[in-house]
Amino acid sequence: MYTQAMDTGPKEERKAVRSVEEAELERRFDTRIDAGEFIEAKDWMPEHYRKTLVRQISQHAHSEIVGMLPEGNWISRAPTLKRKAILLAKVQDEAGHGLYLYAAAETLGTSRDQMLDALHTGKAKYSSIFNYPSLTWADMGVIGWLVDGAAIMNQVPLTRCSYAPYARAMVRVCREESFHQRQGFEALLTMMTKGTEAQRAMVQDAVNRWWWPSLMMFGPPDSESTHSEQSMRWGIKRIGNDELRQKFVDAAAEQAKVLGVSLPDPELKWNEARQHHDFGAIDWSEFWRVVGGDGPCNRERLAARVKAWEEGAWVREAALAHARKAVLKESAA
Amino acid sequence: MSSTLTPNPSPSGRGEQSEWPLWEVFVRSKAGLDHKHCGSLHATDPTMAIQLARDVYTRRQEGTSIWVVRSDQIVASDPGEKAMYFDPMEDKIYRHPTFYELPKSVDHI
């Protein structure tokens, strides 16, 4: 799973006044970036680089965790034991991805509690895709195929991100993510080739609902993206939103033919001259509405996270108290 | 991740901390190989740290053995002194076998 939210945070002004020493440190930092070197946690880095990364990595982590909700919704209603085991493994992976990413963000000097607090109070964003409901079993397949497919397109370039702890976490995430997309596609293919007419209609309906939100996962066009340019300069981002989105459309259009579903875009067609698919205009007003908090499930998702955090408080406290007691006992013995 | 020099809340130390301490996780992927650092996690005690490390870092048989160590117990070299510390080895090329030119017939040694 991936967050496009790096492009949706408030635009921060860079500090204009810097000391001579700081300017020299920044010059050396830029040279390292230009040479393609990785930056490690304890290396000097510009404050703005650190802030950008904390925002992006923590929002990426939040997306993994909130992303467990639409799929968790179907664990108890999976059609077979096999599909249930697969879905459980996938949702557990998303939790793991969230944890790798929180750990990476913590190396930048922000605490887990601070990040969770930002999520729970609505200050931090997560990927807008998870504010859509998962209405049928076919949604589980389509989330794997399209949503995880879009996530993989976004995430592979992040394995070369200049911030090494993030890049290392992304290597691990990408290694596991391929199973997510394949299991989704396979579940859909089973319904399309062996299912009933009603099941095929269910798949088509799910594709129709998830197609456009999946395209929005790549974030606004590069021309309107507030953070893209600086992130490219620093090697946090390697490929622009538009290029990744095009790559995704080209791949998905071919995969849809194999599945035997149509994509809900009358303007989608191969352009021989461009060697790419043309596609229709994205409704960015919907995107900004969902990012801004007014999607179909924003309130429900956040409420579920806050509830889980609050109801788990006694467990966290009890575990800590138990550990303290054990230490005391040991020192007394 | 390598947040090894950051002070962390300790269960026996600062009483009011509510965040669980941070641990670094090392995994041996198979017998015969070294344990390798693979990430970090929060846990209240060593037993929990090992259990969580298994769930977070070895869901696909990536390991046969796990080490965990409290992050605040790791002593690390100072990244600010990297050059002073490691650069003196740069000009000691005679420490490498390729420094020595030998006749072709014995060059495999």
Side-chain angles (χ1 to χ4, degrees):
Chain A
M1 231 36 82
Y2 174 74
T3 175
Q4 78 281 67
M6 58 172 289
D7 295 311
T8 56
K11 195 162 188 164
E12 284 151 23
E13 289 306 317
R14 298 193 63 192
K15 240 187 341 174
V17 187
R18 290 176 304 165
S19 67
V20 178
E21 191 195 3
E22 201 182 338
E24 172 57 20
L25 284 167
E26 188 153 346
R27 192 193 59 76
R28 264 189 253 165
F29 176 85
D30 286 344
T31 311
R32 290 187 64 192
I33 294 282
D34 292 342
E37 282 184 39
F38 283 109
I39 307 299
E40 290 289 349
K42 302 297 164 192
D43 295 344
W44 186 90
M45 62 186 84
E47 220 23 59
H48 194 66
Y49 177 83
R50 186 184 298 275
K51 264 193 192 158
T52 301
L53 280 166
V54 167
R55 181 180 57 232
Q56 179 171 339
I57 302 171
S58 66
Q59 296 187 354
H60 195 162
H62 299 329
S63 300
E64 302 285 352
I65 300 300
V66 176
M68 295 165 75
L69 295 170
E71 290 179 298
N73 186 32
W74 281 91
I75 290 175
S76 61
R77 288 176 283 165
T80 64
L81 190 56
K82 175 183 131 186
R83 294 291 174 197
K84 184 174 180 166
I86 292 169
L87 189 57
L88 265 172
K90 182 177 188 296
V91 174
Q92 192 192 15
D93 270 358
E94 307 298 1
H97 297 177
L99 294 177
Y100 307 153
L101 289 161
Y102 280 129
E106 282 171 84
T107 63
L108 291 157
T110 179
S111 76
R112 181 81 57 101
D113 280 359
Q114 280 172 324
M115 290 186 271
L116 291 177
D117 188 60
L119 173 68
H120 297 157
T121 55
K123 267 186 282 183
K125 304 275 185 225
Y126 53 86
S127 186
S128 60
I129 194 84
F130 303 118
N131 291 316
Y132 292 87
S134 50
L135 302 177
T136 68
W137 171 251
D139 288 33
M140 294 304 98
V142 173
I143 287 175
W145 172 39
L146 293 180
V147 176
D148 290 302
I152 292 169
M153 290 269 174
N154 260 325
Q155 289 176 155
V156 168
L158 289 173
T159 60
R160 293 181 290 120
C161 169
S162 63
Y163 187 58
Y166 190 27
R168 285 194 289 266
M170 291 317 300
V171 168
R172 198 175 287 279
V173 168
C174 286
R175 213 163 34 211
E176 298 176 352
E177 200 83 53
S178 151
F179 138 65
H180 296 182
Q181 192 185 17
R182 289 174 68 94
Q183 66 81 32
F185 195 88
E186 194 243 18
L188 296 177
L189 196 60
T190 304
M191 283 187 270
M192 292 305 288
T193 55
K194 296 182 192 156
T196 62
E197 196 48 53
Q199 286 169 329
R200 282 191 288 275
M202 181 171 76
V203 171
Q204 184 62 59
D205 167 68
V207 171
N208 293 348
R209 283 183 288 108
W210 288 95
W211 173 249
W212 290 106
S214 299
L215 293 193
M216 294 176 197
M217 285 176 72
F218 296 91
D222 296 326
S223 53
E224 291 165 33
S225 178
T226 44
H227 300 293
S228 272
E229 204 184 321
Q230 183 63 69
S231 288
M232 290 282 228
R233 169 69 189 83
W234 274 332
I236 295 173
K237 199 177 165 74
R238 298 284 185 189
I239 306 177
N241 297 351
D242 296 326
E243 187 183 337
L244 286 169
R245 186 166 17 242
Q246 180 69 62
K247 208 173 149 194
F248 174 73
V249 170
D250 289 339
E254 293 308 312
Q255 292 157 358
K257 286 181 201 158
V258 178
L259 271 183
V261 296
S262 64
L263 296 173
D265 179 359
E267 291 173 52
L268 181 76
K269 62 168 187 297
W270 177 250
N271 181 327
E272 189 61 32
R274 285 203 313 126
Q275 289 292 303
H276 285 296
H277 289 79
D278 290 336
F279 55 99
I282 293 168
D283 179 4
W284 290 110
S285 65
E286 174 182 324
F287 171 76
W288 291 114
R289 200 166 59 242
V290 177
V291 168
D294 232 359
C297 299
N298 294 54
R299 285 166 199 83
E300 185 186 330
R301 298 287 187 241
L302 201 55
R305 286 313 313 153
V306 171
K307 182 168 179 272
W309 178 251
E310 285 174 353
E311 290 183 354
W314 72 271
V315 179
R316 295 191 299 277
E317 286 160 18
L320 208 49
H322 177 75
R324 283 180 183 140
K325 224 165 141 184
V327 170
L328 281 180
K329 232 187 222 167
E330 206 174 286
S331 59
Chain B
M1 314 299 137
S2 55
S3 56
T4 45
L5 298 177
T6 335
N8 288 290
S10 114
S12 53
R14 286 164 285 168
E16 296 313 305
Q17 284 290 351
S18 63
E19 198 167 89
W20 292 356
L22 194 67
W23 302 70
E24 299 302 320
V25 180
F26 301 80
V27 170
R28 185 203 294 285
S29 58
K30 61 178 186 188
L33 296 180
D34 297 326
H35 282 80
K36 201 174 152 197
H37 182 245
C38 69
S40 49
L41 51 78
H42 290 273
T44 55
D45 62 37
T47 313
M48 188 199 271
I50 291 278
Q51 281 169 353
L52 295 184
R54 185 204 55 181
D55 293 344
V56 177
Y57 292 105
T58 63
R59 287 193 301 282
R60 290 177 177 78
Q61 295 186 294
E62 290 95 335
T64 56
S65 163
I66 298 173
W67 288 350
V68 293
V69 59
R70 281 275 299 260
S71 306
D72 57 6
Q73 296 297 309
I74 289 184
V75 182
S77 62
D78 182 352
E81 290 176 1
K82 193 166 71 186
M84 196 181 80
Y85 230 70
F86 299 107
D87 287 357
M89 302 307 149
E90 202 176 40
D91 57 0
K92 296 179 177 56
I93 48 172
Y94 47 84
R95 289 185 173 177
H96 297 278
T98 45
F99 177 73
Y100 303 92
E101 273 181 39
L102 298 183
K104 225 182 186 135
S105 57
V106 289
D107 204 23
H108 61 279
I109 64 171

